[in-house]
Amino acid sequence: MLDSDNLSRAWKRVKANKGAPGIDGMTIADFPAYAREHWPAVREQIIQGRYVPQPVRRVELRKPGGGTRKLGIPVILDRVLQQAIAQVLTPIFDPTFSDSSFGFRPGRNAHQAIRQVQAYVKDGYRIAVDLDLAKFFDTVNQDLLMSLLGRTIADKRLLALIGRYLRAGVLVGEHFEPSEVGTPQGGPASPLLANILLHQLDCELARRGHRFARYADDLVILVRSARAGERVMRSITRYLQTSLKLKVNPAKSKVAPMSECSFLSFTIQGNKIRWTDQALAGFKHRVRELTGRSWGVAMEHRLQKLGQYARGWMGYFGISQYYRPVPLLDDWVRRRVRMCYWKQWRWVRTKIRHLLDLGVSLKTAIQHGVSSKSYWHMARTPALQQALSNAWLTAHGLVSVKALWSKAQGYTA
């Protein structure tokens, strides 16, 4: 863990991820100078087993579907050390993990997980046992986790250091809270530790012959009938509670056709992958923010931010094989952008001048320029669609949702 090459790679990874300061307020830019001065003493403390991690800073992020997710932000030194631990342990533990585990693993991703679910549905396993682990990262049994680690790791100092990270505590405002259970989301080592614990679940599911896919604490099991699903739900819930000391949230867990369930913001309908309605609503909400009339930025900057978001969103959701909403979404985004231009032109004379410059007749330009109808209504008029044509918008930096989807599908746009 303390090898200089390993620590160098850990620092580069933490630096690339950027991130906010921990409780000490130290930024990424401040850390190299701090490390040069203090690292020899810190290294000696780790070797002697005396190093004590600092508490993490608690922040809460809003979930797209409502509610909040608690994250713990370690100080940068502890981020580097946790990353160094993860880099040493991953080659040891990852090769032992299940082929049905996809989260936070080298060479594996969410797309592979949803495609595996799709394959099971095509094979006739259409009923999903959708299990929601209640506040998983906050309720991990630390004694059980340390016991599992101890089966593989012989270095007592490393085990003790990991234990101290688990028990480092949380600073909420000015109030310190001990962490006797859980592994805080936000630490570089937490995803690996979660996989080590949930690997026990994967082994149990495989032993019972179940078809499943897991991405971190998101799990779906596929069966052939609702009766089998209810039986699996009861037995796996009992296993989680008794053997892994984890709780299942009954309000968010269900047995239903996969077409009625969500996994990683996707569902399977008619054997085809499709993004969920909630995912689409999240996209529209963010686009409304980026095209809000009250956001007083230049259109060039607005289109740049809109393009960045659309590329990122479609880079993930573009595997959806449901084409019908794509052209409608493309038209809706363009209408939002036309509305922004119309709002930005603001004054009657400015509107008329821009319309004339863009090839609209004088009579039509005047009629539109003096119109008192809403920005949203005007964005759909033939004159504005002629002036701000699809080709004109593309030339000025607006990305096409349809083109992004086609590229994600492997088609030539």
Side-chain angles (χ1 to χ4, degrees), residues 112-309:
Q112 294 169 337
I114 193 64
R115 287 192 176 105
Q116 178 158 305
V117 172
Q118 179 188 35
Y120 290 148
V121 171
K122 286 182 177 179
D123 288 343
Y125 296 84
R126 299 178 178 274
I127 303 299
V129 181
D130 186 1
L131 278 164
D132 183 87
L133 298 179
K135 299 180 179 179
F136 167 73
F137 284 92
D138 295 330
T139 58
V140 167
N141 185 288
Q142 295 179 1
D143 291 338
L144 176 58
L145 176 57
M146 293 304 300
S147 174
L148 293 172
L149 290 169
R151 295 179 187 177
T152 303
I153 301 173
D155 190 329
K156 302 299 182 184
R157 291 172 301 176
L158 183 56
L159 285 171
L161 180 58
I162 295 172
R164 284 195 290 272
Y165 272 117
L166 294 174
R167 298 186 298 274
V170 178
L171 197 65
V172 184
E174 300 297 323
H175 178 65
F176 174 80
E177 294 182 0
S179 52
E180 298 174 354
V181 295
T183 172
Q185 278 185 278
S190 291
L192 175 61
L193 297 178
N195 274 334
I196 290 171
L197 177 63
L198 290 175
H199 176 59
Q200 310 309 305
L201 171 61
D202 298 342
C203 291
E204 181 65 17
L205 292 172
R207 187 185 68 80
R208 300 184 186 191
H210 291 312
R211 289 156 177 80
F212 68 97
R214 182 177 65 79
Y215 190 97
D217 59 330
D218 287 330
L219 170 70
V220 64
I221 307 168
L222 284 305
V223 296
R224 289 187 181 275
S225 69
R227 178 179 293 182
E230 295 292 349
R231 184 173 63 251
V232 170
M233 173 72 82
R234 288 192 298 270
S235 62
I236 297 302
T237 297
R238 185 164 55 249
Y239 171 80
L240 287 166
Q241 291 174 341
T242 58
S243 298
L244 299 186
K245 315 300 181 187
L246 297 171
K247 294 182 179 179
V248 172
N249 185 345
K252 295 184 178 181
S253 301
K254 63 180 179 180
V255 175
M258 189 60 216
S259 60
E260 299 174 12
C261 295
S262 169
F263 181 58
L264 302 176
S265 297
F266 291 100
T267 187
I268 308 294
Q269 294 190 352
N271 292 345
K272 289 188 176 182
I273 299 171
R274 169 177 178 170
W275 61 57
T276 62
D277 292 340
Q278 291 84 352
L280 181 58
F283 175 83
K284 286 190 168 184
H285 176 75
R286 181 57 180 151
V287 170
R288 286 190 184 97
E289 290 180 337
L290 293 171
T291 56
R293 299 194 303 269
S294 60
W295 191 27
V297 297
M299 284 301 300
E300 181 181 1
H301 179 73
R302 191 191 297 268
L303 293 178
Q304 179 187 15
K305 291 297 183 183
L306 183 59
Q308 288 174 352
Y309 176 70

Side-chain angles (χ1 to χ4, degrees), residues 376-388:
W376 183 241
H377 174 88
M378 296 302 294
R380 200 176 185 182
T381 60
L384 213 59
Q385 290 180 336
Q386 172 195 338
L388 305 177

Side-chain angles (χ1 to χ4, degrees), residues 58-61 63 68-72 135 138 184-186:
R58 167 69 53 79
V59 296
E60 294 189 1
L61 300 180
K63 294 181 180 180
T68 59
R69 173 180 287 110
K70 295 179 179 179
L71 290 183
K135 299 180 179 179
D138 295 330
Q185 278 185 278

